[in-house]
Amino acid sequence: MPPLLVDPVMRWFDRLHHECGQESLRRLTEHGSSMLVRLVACSEFAGSAIIRDWTWFAAELESGRILQVPGRESLTASLRDMLGLVPDPSSVKRALREFRNRQMLAIFWRDLSDACDLAQTIASLSDLADVLIECTSNHVRAGLV
């Protein structure tokens, strides 16, 4: 790894250890730590999002679900379920961000691990955007009606 990338990646691992605990580092060594280094080196967003949502990320990584490309219907159902659990209108933006961040992490992971090709990555990004717009519009419309 180029020397300029080593320091930020090491700081990220220190932050992960500090915020998520020693167990998080052990779990990483069992499930793709070299891929994680690549992801964190390529994207500061991804590194921060992983730490913020470590429990979800670790579960997706350990189960292998992170490598599965969800269809548009599956994304729509997941987002509708998530929005259905939102307790109040002020929490909708947070839920949308969480959903988007999780899906973006999965897309990045699949792309960097060569689990899908460029066409699949672009299709996943497009599906995610379409689903976010559609579900958000429907949710807002239902609230107004």
Side-chain angles (χ1 to χ4, degrees):
M1 181 176 300
L4 292 176
L5 293 178
V6 172
D7 192 42
V9 171
M10 292 307 296
R11 281 196 310 263
W12 182 85
F13 274 98
D14 287 343
R15 185 174 159 213
L16 177 69
H17 178 261
H18 176 72
E19 294 184 28
C20 301
Q22 180 65 33
E23 179 65 16
S24 60
L25 295 176
R26 185 196 60 73
R27 290 167 81 178
L28 277 179
T29 59
E30 294 175 4
H31 298 283
S33 59
S34 63
M35 270 300 303
L36 192 58
V37 168
R38 284 182 66 197
L39 183 62
V40 170
C42 291
S43 172
E44 187 176 329
F45 157 78
S48 294
I50 288 168
I51 289 174
R52 273 194 311 273
D53 205 354
W54 172 253
T55 303
W56 172 85
F57 181 78
E60 292 293 300
L61 190 61
E62 290 172 352
S63 70
R65 284 187 308 262
I66 201 161
L67 293 173
Q68 298 170 0
V69 179
R72 191 170 179 168
E73 297 79 22
S74 175
L75 284 173
T76 300
S78 295
L79 183 53
R80 282 186 185 150
D81 291 348
M82 193 174 205
L83 290 175
L85 297 174
V86 173
D88 56 74
S90 64
S91 300
V92 171
K93 287 181 184 178
R94 182 198 51 75
L96 289 168
R97 269 191 311 274
E98 183 177 293
F99 182 81
R100 181 205 60 213
N101 290 349
R102 286 177 173 182
Q103 296 308 313
M104 290 295 292
L105 280 174
I107 291 168
F108 290 163
W109 188 267
R110 289 190 300 268
D111 184 43
L112 286 176
S113 66
D114 295 325
C116 59
D117 61 20
L118 180 60
Q120 290 171 312
T121 298
I122 292 170
S124 291
L125 290 168
S126 180
D127 286 347
L128 175 59
D130 289 344
V131 166
L132 284 166
I133 291 168
E134 178 186 334
C135 287
T136 302
S137 298
N138 291 341
H139 186 76
V140 169
R141 188 177 305 116
L144 293 173
V145 171

